[in-house]
Amino acid sequence: MLNLVLFGPPGAGKGTQAEFLIDSYRLIHLSTGDLLRSEIAAGSSLGLEAKAFMDKGELVPDAVVIGMIRTTLAAHPGAGGFIFDGFPRTVEQAEALDRLLEENGTPISGMLSLEVEHQELVNRLMGRGLVSGRPDDQDVSVIENRIEVYNRKTAPLIGYYGAQGKHFGINGMGSIPEIALRLKETVDRLPR
Ligand code: B4P
């Protein structure tokens, strides 16, 4: 069983590279960003609550995203493995994920941490903002806030997974196929 955490700052290429990893390793994709945007599109009360945080570049409260992950894991009892994309984003979320996976006896195999320079992140997100319609991609100050929130609340997870011997830094600069190859080389060496 292969359980991957795809990690990195906003714009690092998580969603982009998740597509390649799903195809290559037949994993179930679990993106909290996508799940939250679906709730917004459906006009649910959870979506309405989440939108207020996302539009400002803030994290949605831990209890909300942990609940979504619990429900999605329970919906795939026989899965061969998961790719967690954009989750966990706080130490509390990481601890909750470890507990949930322990119940299933299938721990995280590795955390793939995409490393990308600050200006490149801003350029990618502004570029996507021109076509995606996402409010959080269209304003430089919101993008800068997302990166600042990442540095303050999410980057400490590098130490969390590092202490478990599960952190793998991947150069996230370059073309999408080049980065996919770097990820594959690392995933193929992970225990399963
Ligand atoms: P996410 O949906 O996770 O979005 P993201 O961090 O912007 O990354 P994404 O995966 O979409 O983009 P990618 O880097 O692939 O989160 C959005 C918001 O949801 C958060 O700010 C937060 O409010 C909320 N949220 C989500 N999960 C949460 C959680 N667990 N807890 C609390 N809140 C949560 O790609 C970006 C752009 O770069 C694309 O246009 C892509 O085409 C381009 N790109 C990718 N790789 C490239 C490359 N190598 N070269 C050039 N361009 C590239």
Side-chain angles (χ1 to χ4, degrees):
M1 181 122 173
L2 191 61
N3 286 321
L4 303 175
V5 170
L6 192 51
F7 187 83
K14 301 182 293 291
T16 306
Q17 296 296 340
E19 288 178 28
F20 153 78
L21 291 166
I22 296 156
D23 286 349
S24 301
Y25 299 98
R26 306 256 164 258
L27 302 173
I28 292 187
H29 185 210
L30 227 156
S31 158
T32 39
D34 287 351
L35 290 170
L36 290 166
R37 281 184 289 276
S38 304
E39 294 285 345
I40 292 172
S44 69
S45 57
L46 190 157
L48 277 178
E49 184 191 354
K51 185 171 169 35
F53 292 95
M54 291 168 78
D55 284 356
K56 287 185 284 185
E58 296 293 329
L59 294 181
V60 173
D62 286 332
V64 174
V65 281
I66 292 167
M68 284 192 330
I69 291 286
R70 186 181 292 114
T71 306
T72 314
L73 284 177
H76 296 92
F82 291 91
I83 178 155
F84 297 96
D85 164 5
F87 178 90
R89 264 177 153 96
T90 63
V91 170
E92 188 172 341
Q93 290 181 19
E95 289 170 348
L97 180 61
D98 276 351
R99 280 195 298 273
L100 283 169
L101 293 177
E102 210 171 286
E103 287 166 20
N104 302 336
T106 59
I108 291 296
S109 314
M111 176 229 225
L112 308 166
S113 177
L114 292 166
E115 296 163 354
V116 176
E117 290 165 14
H118 182 104
Q119 192 54 48
E120 173 71 7
L121 298 174
V122 177
N123 293 347
R124 288 183 189 178
L125 293 173
M126 288 298 283
R128 184 171 62 187
L130 296 174
V131 290
S132 70
R134 274 176 58 170
D136 59 344
D137 283 346
Q138 292 177 6
D139 182 323
V140 177
S141 64
V142 172
I143 290 174
E144 291 288 359
N145 189 43
R146 288 163 65 191
I147 297 172
E148 195 275 319
V149 168
Y150 166 83
N151 287 331
R152 189 159 35 91
K153 294 190 174 169
T154 307
L157 291 181
I158 292 170
Y160 180 89
Y161 285 102
Q164 298 182 12
K166 293 180 178 174
H167 166 256
F168 299 89
I170 312 279
N171 178 3
M173 300 287 288
S175 73
I176 291 168
E178 279 169 347
I179 299 160
L181 189 61
R182 290 175 202 146
L183 286 166
K184 185 176 183 329
E185 285 168 356
T186 302
V187 173
D188 286 345
R189 292 201 305 268
L190 293 177
R192 32 194 109 165

